Amino acid sequence: MQKSDFRGVLPAITTKMTADQQVDFDGVKADVVFQIEGGVDAIVVCGSLGEASSLTVAEKLAIAKAAIEAAAGRVPVVLTIAEDSTSTGAALAAEAEKIGVEGLMVLPAMRYLADDREVVFHYRAIAAASNLPIIIYNNPLAYGINITAEMLKEMANEPKFVAIKESTGDTRRINETINALGDRYQLLTGVDDLALESLVLGCHGWIAGLVVAFPKETVAIYKLVQQDRIKEAMEIYRWFLPLLHLDIGPKFVQNIKLCEAIVRGTSPVVRQPRLELVGDEEKAIRAVVEQGLKTRPDLTKYGF
């Protein structure tokens, strides 16, 4: 992946926490190394899965610095901008460029449900704050704001808007966006359990969640689709699907951190107001992950 070319598998890594809920920077660095060794194309930090809503701006910059240090130039690091105000988001974008971040994934301003004019203004203000390429993150299911094709057309004259993270949950939007805008934007699928379908329909990359525990399987699916080996990609994807479902729902962070803990031995600690899973919820996730591990495919069969 080049600086302004968002292709491939881009893991949205979790933010590891210590027992007292402080950011574990060694854990962040270890995650970055683990993902790079798994063959990913970039690292996305401080996204929704990275608990952006409960991190301070200072922590986000420190996490990005740790990720850049661990990546050591091997893959780009992308920082998520998900702030309550436009001015705070713009300031974070400017600081991100200074520390060596190579791209931004930008959400509409949080909390306030802006109208279309306000959303476009927010994005343009963030773009003006740095020279970094931007992924427009569209997730109306989670954040209540739908970035329509008409809005994307209006924003198309800003060259820093390079890509769209398509997380509407409706694969029809992929073809509709392509029909409306051609190849103006790179499209990235952001819904794990719609990923293969989305890649087949024309998405250039996958901003993934369960990749944090299973990078090699995620990369294999992506590469097989690029090679038009759809039947083989489907075999891995169908095994993966019960795990990919863990990326959906209000407790997706807890689900995925527990999955990581089972698979990799990492910390499942989440920052409050989130709490770690207990009781039947924990048992259900453990059952899914343990079944996945028992039936994990042999990737050498596919040349990986």
Side-chain angles (χ1 to χ4, degrees):
M1 190 188 93
Q2 301 302 314
K3 183 175 182 181
S4 59
D5 184 16
F6 296 103
R7 295 177 186 270
V9 173
L10 294 73
I13 64 172
T14 58
T15 301
K16 295 298 180 291
M17 300 284 177
T18 62
D20 60 353
Q21 300 200 355
Q22 299 304 303
V23 176
D24 176 3
F25 291 103
D26 288 338
V28 170
K29 292 177 183 178
D31 283 352
V32 171
V33 171
F34 178 71
Q35 292 300 313
I36 292 172
E37 291 176 348
V40 305
D41 299 283
I43 301 291
V44 179
V45 297
C46 304
S48 304
L49 182 56
E51 299 179 75
S53 61
S54 55
L55 296 171
T56 67
V57 167
E59 285 175 326
K60 291 174 183 180
L61 289 169
I63 290 165
K65 286 180 182 177
I68 291 166
E69 180 181 335
R74 290 173 288 177
V75 300
V77 172
V78 176
L79 175 65
T80 306
I81 306 290
E83 310 310 312
D84 290 343
S85 74
T86 300
S87 61
T88 304
L92 179 55
E95 289 301 313
E97 183 175 20
K98 291 177 185 176
I99 65 171
V101 167
E102 293 189 59
L104 303 173
M105 183 168 73
V106 181
L107 284 77
M110 298 291 97
R111 299 176 188 268
Y112 173 63
L113 291 179
D115 65 21
D116 293 359
R117 179 174 65 95
E118 292 168 323
V119 171
V120 171
F121 178 89
H122 174 79
Y123 271 96
R124 289 193 182 279
I126 301 296
S130 84
N131 295 306
L132 296 176
I134 289 172
I135 302 168
I136 298 168
Y137 185 171
N138 190 26
N139 189 340
L141 296 175
Y143 300 111
I145 292 173
N146 182 26
I147 302 173
T148 65
E150 288 303 313
M151 295 165 72
L152 293 169
K153 286 181 182 178
E154 183 179 349
M155 297 162 69
N157 63 355
E158 171 53 72
K160 295 171 195 169
F161 297 137
V162 172
I164 302 162
K165 181 183 178 186
E166 167 51 52
S167 295
T168 61
D170 182 356
T171 54
R172 289 172 293 191
R173 287 289 294 268
I174 296 166
N175 283 329
E176 289 169 357
T177 302
I178 293 170
N179 283 343
L181 289 143
D183 62 358
R184 166 60 185 85
Y185 298 100
Q186 291 180 305
L187 296 180
L188 310 173
T189 179
V191 181
D192 265 7
D193 58 4
L194 290 175
L196 186 143
E197 299 92 321
S198 300
L199 292 168
V200 169
L201 287 172
C203 282
H204 301 88
W206 179 0
I207 298 182
L210 270 297
V211 66
V212 299
F214 298 97
K216 292 181 179 179
E217 289 83 356
T218 307
V219 170
I221 291 169
Y222 175 80
K223 288 186 174 180
L224 288 170
V225 173
Q226 300 311 302
Q227 297 167 15
D228 289 326
R229 296 164 64 187
I230 306 301
K231 184 177 183 295
E232 293 166 285
M234 189 71 74
E235 291 172 358
I236 303 172
Y237 186 64
R238 285 177 174 158
W239 159 81
F240 211 178
L241 204 53
L243 292 156
L244 297 177
H245 291 328
L246 303 183
D247 191 40
I248 308 302
K251 294 189 178 180
F252 74 105
V253 175
Q254 293 96 315
N255 293 346
I256 292 177
K257 277 195 165 180
L258 179 57
C259 177
E260 281 186 291
I262 297 167
V263 176
R264 298 176 50 207
T266 55
S267 170
V269 173
V270 290
R271 180 169 280 181
Q272 296 165 5
R274 290 183 173 92
L275 296 174
E276 293 81 51
L277 300 177
V278 296
D280 289 342
E281 286 183 319
E282 180 184 1
K283 289 178 183 176
I285 302 305
R286 284 189 177 277
V288 170
V289 178
E290 288 166 3
Q291 177 62 22
L293 289 173
K294 286 179 184 176
T295 57
R296 196 170 188 174
D298 177 6
L299 295 182
T300 62
K301 172 184 173 182
Y302 307 95
F304 297 101

